[in-house]
Amino acid sequence: GQNIDQPTEMTATEGAIVQINCTYQTSGFNGLFWYQQHAGEAPTFLSYNVLDGLEEKGRFSSFLSRSKGYSYLLLKELQMKDSASYLCAVRGDKLIFGTGTRLQVFP
Amino acid sequence: EAQVTQNPRYLITVTGKKLTVTCSQNMNHEYMSWYRQDPGLGLRQIYYSMNVEVTDKGDVPEGYKVSRKEKRNFPLILESPSPNQTSLYFCASSPGGSSYNEQFFGPGTRLTVL
């Protein structure tokens, strides 16, 4: 079967760095996505990893280890507007989403 | 502006009264999908479509129907809604004929079935 685990909630301080982990089990692997979702809004795409390693995009980076079934999203120089849920999604035989990690950034 | 639109955004209805939630995209995307999002359960796929006239069941298709007669539209039909279909619904689209690309989500439809 397919399964995704990510922490339910995290808190951090403005200006800090936070790492959100995602572990997964899938039948086959065809890529991993991270989406950001503000409360009451639609998810928006952040990153895509299909090969092992780190993908950097501005303040956000995403890492993938296929052999470990593990990814993380790294957010640097946190801002208040980064308070949101972060969804890990994995495409194996089908695309499935984790339940999301709610990040609260405090001043 | 490239976007996915859904209507209505909010709907309160009663058990058994047929309803349709429309979804339209103006990006010429081949792939479209419907999800429902419930607390603690994440996004779950209801139905998806790889192209016009091609639809397939996702993880939770019971109680829903879809159609894809035109590339831009992918309506979600609840023939006889029940309270357990109270949820936040998202339509999404992506280029190419699969979910192999990033998906663009509509703004969501919050449905309450009494």
Side-chain angles (χ1 to χ4, degrees):
Chain A
Q2 301 194 156
N3 186 58
I4 295 177
D5 285 313
Q6 48 181 136
T8 304
E9 289 195 17
M10 298 182 71
T11 59
T13 305
E14 198 173 15
I17 299 172
V18 71
Q19 178 175 312
I20 301 174
N21 295 324
C22 169
T23 57
Y24 64 88
Q25 293 176 312
T26 62
S27 302
F29 179 81
N30 291 296
L32 184 144
F33 298 85
W34 284 96
Y35 285 84
Q36 180 190 59
Q37 185 178 25
H38 285 100
E41 297 183 10
T44 54
F45 171 79
L46 286 178
S47 69
Y48 172 67
N49 294 69
V50 66
L51 299 176
D52 289 352
L54 189 69
E55 294 280 342
E56 296 185 80
K57 193 185 285 187
R59 293 190 299 115
F60 293 5
S61 303
S62 56
F63 171 83
L64 174 67
S65 169
R66 289 173 296 171
S67 63
K68 295 181 180 177
Y70 167 70
S71 172
Y72 67 72
L73 180 69
L74 193 71
L75 292 77
K76 303 176 187 173
E77 301 168 18
L78 279 172
Q79 302 175 9
M80 298 296 291
K81 66 179 182 178
D82 296 330
S83 292
S85 287
Y86 291 86
L87 314 180
C88 175
V90 177
R91 189 172 53 235
D93 291 344
K94 54 184 178 180
L95 179 67
I96 62 168
F97 284 81
T99 54
T101 298
R102 184 171 167 237
L103 173 67
Q104 288 184 281
V105 180
F106 293 100
Chain B
E1 180 190 354
Q3 60 183 347
V4 179
T5 57
Q6 296 178 226
N7 282 291
R9 294 289 313 279
Y10 303 90
L11 179 60
I12 300 174
T13 189
V14 295
T15 299
K17 186 176 181 183
K18 181 179 178 179
L19 66 92
T20 299
V21 184
T22 64
C23 172
S24 183
Q25 51 93 6
N26 62 2
M27 296 170 280
N28 203 36
H29 286 169
E30 294 179 358
Y31 182 90
M32 296 186 76
S33 180
W34 275 103
Y35 296 89
R36 60 177 290 174
Q37 188 173 37
D38 302 290
L41 295 177
L43 279 165
R44 293 179 294 166
Q45 192 176 54
I46 303 170
Y47 268 95
Y48 65 94
S49 170
M50 305 279 275
N51 213 326
V52 176
E53 300 293 359
V54 180
T55 64
D56 214 340
K57 295 178 181 178
D59 293 320
V60 288
E62 293 78 21
Y64 304 95
K65 287 174 58 177
V66 293
S67 68
R68 188 90 183 273
K69 296 187 174 123
E70 308 165 276
K71 199 171 190 178
R72 63 183 294 130
N73 296 324
F74 190 45
L76 179 69
I77 303 156
L78 284 72
E79 294 270 4
S80 183
S82 62
N84 65 12
Q85 293 178 298
T86 293
S87 187
L88 178 58
Y89 291 86
F90 288 103
C91 179
S93 72
S94 65
S98 74
S99 63
Y100 277 45
N101 302 286
E102 72 172 276
Q103 294 193 58
F104 295 82
F105 286 83
T109 296
R110 189 167 291 280
L111 172 66
T112 301
V113 183
L114 302 175

